[in-house]
Amino acid sequence: MTHLVPLAKEVDDDKVTPGVLGFIVFAVMALAVWGLMKSMNRHMGKVDFKEPEIRSESEPESESERVGAASGGDAGPETKG
């Protein structure tokens, strides 16, 4: 044991190292993040997103309806014949 004493004197007291406790804390945090990510993926897999209803191909939009919907207003006067 006496041959380790000179090594202890070479250690700079101004340097701070995390040591074993720092490693343990980091490992626990990494495991917690891993567990949360796994849980999030499981929960996101259960989510059922409902798609908006899409018009069937038998009812295509007319050009004036698309322009009116895009502009947010009335597409103009309609002529009914």
Side-chain angles (χ1 to χ4, degrees):
M1 283 301 241
T2 57
H3 61 282
L4 295 177
V5 173
L7 293 176
K9 297 207 181 233
E10 292 178 14
V11 176
D12 188 7
D13 292 333
D14 295 332
K15 290 185 181 177
V16 178
T17 60
V20 176
L21 180 62
F23 174 75
I24 292 171
V25 170
F26 182 79
V28 168
M29 288 175 59
L31 286 172
V33 169
W34 177 78
L36 287 171
M37 293 288 288
K38 190 171 180 178
S39 175
M40 182 191 69
N41 282 334
R42 192 177 320 125
H43 281 83
M44 290 300 288
K46 292 179 184 178
V47 174
D48 183 26
F49 292 104
K50 295 189 178 187
E51 295 290 328
E53 291 185 21
I54 300 174
R55 290 186 182 194
S56 65
E57 292 183 23
S58 63
E59 302 175 7
E61 292 181 351
S62 68
E63 183 65 30
S64 63
E65 287 177 350
R66 274 187 259 141
V67 171
S71 66
D74 191 19
E78 294 182 13
T79 56
K80 295 183 181 180

